[in-house]
Amino acid sequence: MIASAPPSRISFCASDRPEAGLARDRLTTLYGSVDAAEADIIVALGGDGFMLETLHANLNRGTPVYGMNRGSVGFLMNDYDEVGLPERIAAAGRAVIHPLEMEAWTESGALNTGLAINEVSLLRQTRQSAKLRISVDGKVRLEELACDGCMVATAAGSTAYNLSAHGPIIPLDARMLALTPISAFRPRRWRGALLSHRARVEFEVLEADKRPVSAVADNLEIRHVTKVAIRERRDISLTMLFDAGRSFEERVLAEQFMA
């Protein structure tokens, strides 16, 4: 990989954690900071949740985001180091991801839309299990799933909630989506499916009045949904930067061999 020229215009942003704010102030003193709208690179200081927030905030600009961990998990972040930051950014590898689009209809008939970088989840709202009918590309594939919920996850999100729900880890270049149940009760042995990234997935909520369900696209929640349609927006590209030797692909591969 040939390194690019160090960025001349960096915008630093930080989560509300005290250590993230302190890091932003120190880095701004060292390297200066411009408004995000004028930046070549955005440096996000926080955890994985803040990285997602930063990507969402820059959906329309498409400015590459380089994260440094000042949070807890940090799977999507680089190690924090104040030395030689422009050179590190210039040598970093790029991971291009595409979000999911959620269309969610509620009991009132209202249509709500949202974008998700990690996953779109359907979740039961009460003690009653959810009952969902699942269609892929217009064909019913599962007539009834009794569960706590179900999700469609991107490759980038496959190591997050999807992995916690025992879904598969997907390499970034696989062009696939994970359809993963959350605590499936019936059919008990259904473990989900791997789908083409071109697939359109539809959920119909059965007995919605008795078994209310919410739909969540990253941090956007729509309650009392009756139908949800999900597809990948290939026309929207988001770029994350990772230090040389610590690419997103390497992290995903290493995650599959962790004890």
Side-chain angles (χ1 to χ4, degrees):
M1 182 183 67
I2 300 175
S4 58
S8 58
R9 297 176 299 176
I10 303 175
S11 178
F12 293 99
C13 59
S15 71
D16 57 6
R17 294 176 69 111
E19 57 269 39
L22 288 172
R24 177 197 56 214
D25 295 343
R26 287 181 58 84
L27 290 167
T28 297
T29 299
L30 287 169
Y31 300 107
S33 183
V34 301
D35 186 85
E38 303 171 356
D40 301 316
I41 299 292
I42 294 172
V43 174
L45 301 158
D48 287 350
F50 187 68
M51 169 61 89
L52 295 180
E53 288 181 28
T54 305
L55 289 169
H56 273 284
N58 291 277
L59 276 170
N60 295 328
R61 288 189 288 266
T63 308
V65 179
Y66 179 91
M68 285 203 289
N69 190 16
R70 293 285 84 186
S72 52
V73 179
F75 185 83
L76 300 176
M77 313 302 275
N78 299 289
D79 292 337
Y80 181 77
D81 192 341
E82 298 174 359
V83 178
L85 180 60
E87 290 72 26
R88 285 174 64 192
I89 292 173
R94 294 181 172 230
V96 179
I97 60 176
H98 306 282
L100 299 174
E101 180 181 67
M102 174 187 77
E103 297 179 308
W105 288 263
T106 64
E107 292 175 338
S108 67
L111 170 61
N112 301 268
T113 61
L115 294 175
I117 295 166
N118 269 1
E119 74 279 317
V120 174
S121 305
L122 276 73
L123 305 166
R124 65 183 176 96
Q125 292 180 198
T126 68
R127 69 183 187 283
Q128 296 276 11
S129 63
K131 287 190 176 181
L132 307 172
R133 179 179 293 126
I134 303 176
S135 300
V136 179
D137 293 330
K139 182 175 182 178
V140 175
R141 292 294 182 178
L142 199 55
E143 194 65 45
E144 181 178 297
L145 172 66
C147 56
D148 280 355
C150 195
M151 77 180 78
V152 177
T154 65
S158 67
T159 56
Y161 190 13
N162 172 73
L163 181 59
S164 298
H166 307 291
I169 295 177
I170 304 173
L172 200 61
D173 59 357
R175 295 195 173 191
M176 303 186 80
L177 302 174
L179 174 61
T180 302
I182 304 167
S183 300
F185 181 66
R186 289 285 188 275
R188 194 180 298 275
R189 291 183 175 82
W190 189 65
R191 293 293 182 263
L194 284 170
L195 306 175
S196 164
H197 71 98
R198 295 185 297 270
R200 176 182 170 89
V201 182
E202 293 186 1
F203 295 96
E204 296 175 67
V205 180
L206 308 178
E207 303 177 28
D209 55 339
K210 179 183 178 182
R211 304 169 184 274
V213 168
S214 64
V216 182
D218 284 349
N219 59 353
L220 171 67
E221 180 181 16
I222 308 299
R223 295 177 70 81
H224 298 282
V225 298
T226 57
K227 179 182 175 181
V228 177
I230 302 161
R231 68 184 180 98
E232 186 184 63
R233 286 290 303 270
R234 203 77 188 172
D235 58 320
I236 300 176
S237 297
L238 303 169
T239 302
M240 294 185 293
L241 302 178
F242 294 94
D243 284 334
R246 290 282 293 146
S247 69
F248 186 81
E249 291 81 358
E250 169 60 28
R251 295 171 193 222
V252 168
L253 186 59
E255 187 76 21
Q256 297 177 79
F257 290 90
M258 291 182 64

